[in-house]
Amino acid sequence: MSNNVAQIFGSKVFNLPTMKERLPKETYKSLVKTINDGTKLDISVAEVVAHAMKDWAIENGCTHYTHWFQPMTGLTAEKHDSFIQPTDDRTVIMEFSGKELVMGEPDASSFPSGGLRATFEARGYTAWDPTSFAFIKDNSLYIPTSFVSYSGEVLDKKTPLLRSEAAIDKAAKKVLALFGKHPKRVVAYVGPEQEYFLVDKKLRNKRKDLLLTGRTLFGAKPAKGQEMDDHYFGQIKERVANFMKEVDEELWKLGVFAKTKHNEVAPAQHEIAPVFSTTNISTDHNQLTMEILKKVADHHGLYCLLHEKPYEGINGSGKHNNWSIGTSDGELLLRPGKKPEENVQFLLFLAAVIKAIDDYADILRASVATAGNDHRLGANEAPPAIISMYLGDQLAAVVDRLKKHKDVKSATGDLIETGVDSLPDIERDTTDRNRTSPFAFTGNRFEFRAPGSRQSIAGINIVINTIVAETLTEIADELEGSKNIQKDAFELAVKIFSEHDRIIFNGNGYSDEWIEEAERRGLYNLKTTPDALPHFVAQKSIDLFTKQGVFTEVEVKTRGEIMMEDYNNTVHFEMLTMLEMAKQEILPACLKYTNFVAEDYSSKKALGIDAPKELERVKKLTELTEELMTKIDALDAATDIPDVDAYAVGMYYKETVLPAMDTLRETADTLETMVSKEFWPFPTYTDLLYLV
Ligand code: ADP
Ligand code: MG
């Protein structure tokens, strides 16, 4: 089957060729217009589309359809209805109306609404997103939808993402108009590189922590870690290769442009990346990718760990968010032009991104704040929690020179224009890499490296789209009515470069010097989720999102609350799981093993054999086991959560619970290195990382 990828690609998708084949010409035309231009769809068109979709789905084995949506949990949700419709003679016919395609009413009550439901009568309904194609999975027709409440509050991640796309479209077009360009649309793109770990399913099931929390809460370092660097881009093991092959095929059938796959830095860690598409479609596809990775792993006796930090001391998993903007005419706006005049426009868009990241670094940081990602950011393997930007040596040099020109200008008057003429060709420079930077320019896009592997990319791209829309709007306003756009735009870009200099950092982001330097520069260093999330709900953030029409004030607040609660629930659950493992598995094992050594010692002593080292072992084991019990009691005491608001509870988890968990783990991990493997209650790091 895989021989002909072109043939299987999109075979389970109601895509353009299928629509063209199955829809009347006029219907097809108006649907395509809706998809491309965002025009409103007529219900009579929806009726025809629904009919064709149903026939196609049934021919392909479907019995059900579902409105597929993305609640604020960051996961996807679905409720399946069959196509059956009873008839008078008590048989059924298969039906699917335009109304059923366009709108659905899932029971919204068990999805998080961050208090929205209390404030409003928030029954939810789902609304078809025709820009993301319907597809078939497990004998159901999946219809991508938005999810909103009857009073209009957004209950999902897709709706605000679409709004943020509209915001950037509007703002970028305003800027382009100044240059005499009038593309139909400006689109935000993303190509997410998805990292993940594979683990043998049977071994994973023996560990309560992996089973319940997705990460190991205990585990001594393996003898062979990742220091050998022999895994990155290394040969792919057969079982893994077979898994990857099936993943690709499944994704291709679903119309996902799965492109690149390779081993990552850590043992048993891998990556899959698609060809980029719009932020909306890429988000849907990334959700599908995560789901397919899990599902296919199961077919191969494997389990796919999407957690940001499944193993302590081993690299975590991120999701590099390669972001750019381009016009419907195919012009990438963050690609340096061939001629200096084109470069003025490029420099202006570049300036907009730089200003956006500097002005809203705290909100961008908050968009990647999760309990899982806290273990990764700043851990000398992922970018630091400090947001900064890397431009590459060449572009940084250009920007630097321009800033200096500007300084000269005040003295001599007209150097700016000369500046435009003397702008060098800025070549695409993709070899230039700085893996320690959270937001790096890579030739025609920016790579945001802070997102966590398990996160939906919706929230991240809502923020990037919105902050860049905001700075583009400001730029367009400032340049409105310009008589000499080349000169004025250039001047403004250079001014922005100078004013936002502090966000550019081309050095080593992992170094301690950078932490100090960043502090001197006045950059944020929001180390953890409880530090970061208050910034998401601050007035500055509310002003931004309301101005750009992406969230209302209530929506910003509820989202912040939901993210905070997610953090709190995650840590809470980890704490309980840890206690259970420590009390029911680790402690008994330590007691048993200590007794085993003690008895061995006693019998030797009875025979008159001197075994001082063994006695020392018994003492050491006893001492550590006592310590383990003390720390279990301390963590037990910490389970008494103060009755305060979510943000204060978050601080409690950070300041009281997590340190208690860390120290309990430390003792348990030391014991693991001393206790016989026979007695140890669950698979070790070596088993998990190397038996894949
Ligand atoms: P690397 O690991 O070297 O950074 P990959 O090939 O693994 O690169 O992934 C790069 C990702 O960036 C891919 O998903 C690719 O489609 C995406 N990408 C390339 N160009 C753009 C662009 N202009 N806008 C958004 N994403 C892009
Ligand atoms: Mg890559």
Side-chain angles (χ1 to χ4, degrees):
M1 169 205 284
S2 58
N3 298 343
N4 196 342
V5 178
Q7 209 167 359
I8 66 161
F9 189 86
S11 58
K12 293 189 173 176
V13 184
F14 198 70
N15 54 15
L16 291 175
T18 309
M19 289 179 203
K20 192 162 192 177
E21 185 191 310
R22 290 174 173 263
L23 293 173
K25 222 181 191 156
E26 281 313 307
T27 313
Y28 176 74
K29 259 174 52 193
S30 70
L31 183 56
V32 169
K33 200 164 150 46
T34 298
I35 293 169
N36 290 340
D37 307 342
T39 48
K40 220 172 151 51
L41 196 80
D42 203 77
I43 184 73
S44 64
V45 173
E47 204 62 59
V48 181
V49 176
H51 194 79
M53 249 188 206
K54 179 204 70 184
D55 286 348
W56 169 78
I58 290 172
E59 280 166 39
N60 283 282
C62 289
T63 51
H64 290 67
Y65 71 92
T66 178
H67 276 202
W68 186 61
F69 59 102
Q70 301 178 17
M72 292 189 266
T73 52
L75 305 169
T76 56
E78 48 196 71
K79 180 190 102 188
H80 299 256
D81 281 304
S82 74
F83 291 119
I84 66 162
Q85 183 69 44
T87 59
D88 289 344
D89 61 358
R90 298 197 193 176
T91 58
V92 294
I93 50 168
M94 301 297 257
E95 266 191 356
F96 186 47
S97 69
K99 192 171 161 287
E100 285 168 314
L101 166 62
V102 173
M103 209 179 111
E105 266 185 80
D107 177 12
S109 56
S110 28
F111 295 107
S113 72
L116 268 184
R117 217 175 338 269
T119 336
F120 304 88
E121 184 48 44
R123 276 203 308 161
Y125 71 91
T126 49
W128 179 33
D129 167 19
T131 61
S132 185
F133 300 142
F135 57 90
I136 292 171
K137 201 163 63 68
D138 307 323
N139 304 318
S140 271
L141 171 68
Y142 279 70
I143 300 152
T145 55
S146 296
F147 180 40
V148 289
S149 78
Y150 268 100
S151 40
E153 280 75 32
V154 177
L155 297 172
D156 72 343
K157 288 184 174 266
K158 184 190 268 283
T159 315
L161 182 60
L162 290 169
R163 288 179 182 169
S164 74
E165 285 189 342
I168 210 152
D169 171 56
K170 187 171 155 208
K173 278 201 294 217
K174 252 177 140 178
V175 173
L176 287 173
L178 298 166
F179 289 90
K181 290 184 184 172
H182 303 280
K184 252 197 175 137
R185 291 189 92 171
V186 172
V187 186
Y189 296 112
V190 65
E193 299 168 54
Q194 176 73 50
E195 293 181 338
Y196 60 92
F197 278 87
L198 290 175
V199 61
D200 188 275
K201 192 168 89 185
K202 288 203 198 80
L203 296 176
R204 175 255 179 188
N205 289 347
K206 289 187 183 147
R207 293 205 46 141
K208 241 181 223 167
D209 47 7
L210 284 181
L211 199 65
L212 299 177
T213 73
R215 77 174 177 110
T216 54
L217 299 169
F218 297 101
K221 260 195 151 175
K224 181 174 186 274
Q226 64 189 47
E227 304 81 15
M228 312 278 287
D229 263 345
D230 53 356
H231 194 254
Y232 191 53
F233 277 39
Q235 206 181 352
I236 300 172
K237 286 182 195 160
E238 195 177 340
R239 185 172 171 201
V240 176
N242 289 336
F243 154 82
M244 286 178 166
K245 179 169 178 281
E246 195 184 327
V247 167
D248 278 338
E249 284 174 5
E250 286 306 311
L251 289 175
W252 289 334
K253 285 186 216 162
L254 292 170
V256 177
F257 300 104
K259 174 89 174 166
T260 309
K261 52 184 177 187
H262 58 77
N263 286 354
E264 261 300 328
V265 178
Q269 192 188 25
H270 310 279
E271 179 186 296
I272 181 167
V275 177
F276 68 93
S277 38
T278 67
T279 48
N280 177 36
I281 289 169
S282 258
T283 299
D284 286 358
H285 283 179
N286 183 248
Q287 294 290 350
L288 277 177
T289 302
M290 291 194 283
E291 189 185 321
I292 295 293
L293 284 170
K294 291 237 166 209
K295 190 164 132 185
V296 173
D298 199 57
H299 300 170
H300 296 262
L302 295 163
Y303 186 83
C304 176
L305 292 167
L306 290 171
H307 195 281
E308 282 77 15
K309 193 76 176 179
Y311 305 105
E312 197 168 278
I314 303 282
N315 267 17
S317 298
K319 181 140 56 190
H320 295 173
N321 191 88
N322 293 273
W323 180 92
S324 73
I325 41 177
T327 69
S328 46
D329 310 326
E331 181 183 2
L332 283 178
L333 297 168
L334 293 171
R335 184 204 292 275
K338 293 216 172 54
K339 290 179 243 128
E341 308 86 79
E342 290 175 6
N343 278 336
V344 172
Q345 182 197 305
F346 160 71
L347 289 172
L348 195 62
F349 277 93
L350 178 69
V353 179
I354 291 175
K355 185 175 187 325
I357 305 305
D358 189 28
D359 285 350
Y360 299 106
D362 52 342
I363 297 169
L364 187 63
R365 166 66 184 93
S367 77
V368 295
T370 64
N373 216 17
D374 278 3
H375 298 288
R376 198 180 142 253
L377 296 182
N380 275 0
E381 37 129 328
I386 306 163
I387 301 286
S388 69
M389 296 173 82
Y390 171 76
L391 294 183
D393 291 342
Q394 212 219 353
L395 189 56
V398 171
V399 167
D400 235 23
R401 240 186 51 206
L402 295 177
K403 282 188 310 212
K404 287 193 188 111
H405 268 288
K406 186 179 179 274
D407 294 341
V408 182
K409 185 218 164 197
S410 48
T412 58
D414 60 3
L415 259 173
I416 289 299
E417 277 218 311
T418 328
V420 180
D421 296 339
S422 65
L423 254 183
D425 281 353
I426 306 165
E427 279 162 30
R428 266 193 74 184
D429 185 358
T430 46
T431 52
D432 205 0
R433 283 299 167 96
N434 180 341
R435 299 210 146 259
T436 68
S437 175
F439 210 91
F441 183 69
T442 51
N444 59 11
R445 62 185 186 271
F446 279 93
E447 184 170 341
F448 185 33
R449 301 203 176 103
S453 49
R454 205 173 44 150
Q455 274 191 275
S456 155
I457 56 169
I460 296 147
N461 289 293
I462 289 169
V463 171
I464 303 179
N465 290 347
T466 307
I467 62 180
V468 176
E470 173 59 24
T471 51
L472 285 172
T473 311
E474 290 168 20
I475 284 172
D477 290 347
E478 183 141 351
L479 291 176
E480 207 184 290
S482 159
K483 297 274 173 326
N484 184 348
I485 188 64
Q486 288 290 319
K487 176 171 175 292
D488 294 345
F490 180 75
E491 253 177 18
L492 180 59
V494 174
K495 182 168 158 251
I496 292 173
F497 293 149
S498 302
E499 283 171 3
H500 297 277
D501 200 30
R502 62 172 189 169
I503 198 75
I504 311 290
F505 177 64
N506 293 325
N508 179 6
Y510 295 173
S511 67
D512 291 338
E513 294 83 65
W514 171 230
I515 296 175
E516 289 162 27
E517 165 74 15
E519 198 180 330
R520 271 197 298 278
R521 292 187 186 190
L523 298 180
Y524 289 105
N525 185 2
L526 303 168
K527 288 195 191 121
T528 69
T529 301
D531 299 312
L533 285 182
H535 291 260
F536 188 79
V537 292
Q539 194 57 45
K540 177 174 118 184
S541 177
I542 293 169
D543 291 344
L544 165 78
F545 286 114
T546 49
K547 181 175 167 204
Q548 288 300 325
V550 173
F551 291 129
T552 61
E553 176 167 351
V554 187
E555 285 165 0
V556 171
K557 287 187 174 155
T558 51
R559 255 152 235 260
E561 182 103 5
I562 287 170
M563 289 191 274
M564 199 63 247
E565 273 168 5
D566 181 66
Y567 172 90
N568 295 346
N569 292 338
T570 303
V571 181
H572 193 79
F573 204 43
E574 288 181 351
M575 168 182 74
L576 296 182
T577 307
M578 201 168 192
L579 278 169
E580 210 172 288
M581 288 172 81
K583 289 189 217 170
Q584 298 177 353
E585 300 182 54
I586 298 175
L587 178 60
C590 294
L591 292 172
K592 252 194 234 165
Y593 181 67
T594 308
N595 187 51
F596 170 81
V597 186
E599 276 187 357
D600 187 71
Y601 174 77
S602 306
S603 39
K604 281 178 186 154
K605 211 174 159 211
L607 295 171
I609 303 171
D610 197 19
K613 288 278 175 203
E614 198 168 348
L615 181 60
E616 256 175 52
R617 284 286 190 286
V618 178
K619 284 184 182 159
K620 184 78 199 162
L621 280 164
T622 306
E623 193 186 299
L624 280 167
T625 308
E626 283 290 317
E627 189 180 300
L628 185 77
M629 288 188 264
T630 308
K631 289 180 176 180
I632 289 173
D633 291 346
L635 186 58
D636 242 338
T639 57
D640 193 9
I641 310 301
D643 186 16
V644 283
D645 74 75
Y647 295 91
V649 171
M651 272 298 166
Y652 174 78
Y653 280 111
K654 175 197 155 178
E655 284 166 0
T656 307
V657 174
L658 284 170
M661 286 169 65
D662 283 346
T663 179
L664 170 60
R665 174 179 184 149
E666 208 180 308
T667 307
D669 289 357
T670 311
L671 278 161
E672 185 192 319
T673 63
M674 295 181 67
V675 172
S676 155
K677 189 156 166 43
E678 247 177 90
F679 285 71
W680 201 250
F682 39 71
T684 64
Y685 267 27
T686 304
D687 302 333
L688 298 170
L689 288 163
Y690 292 97
L691 296 180
V692 176

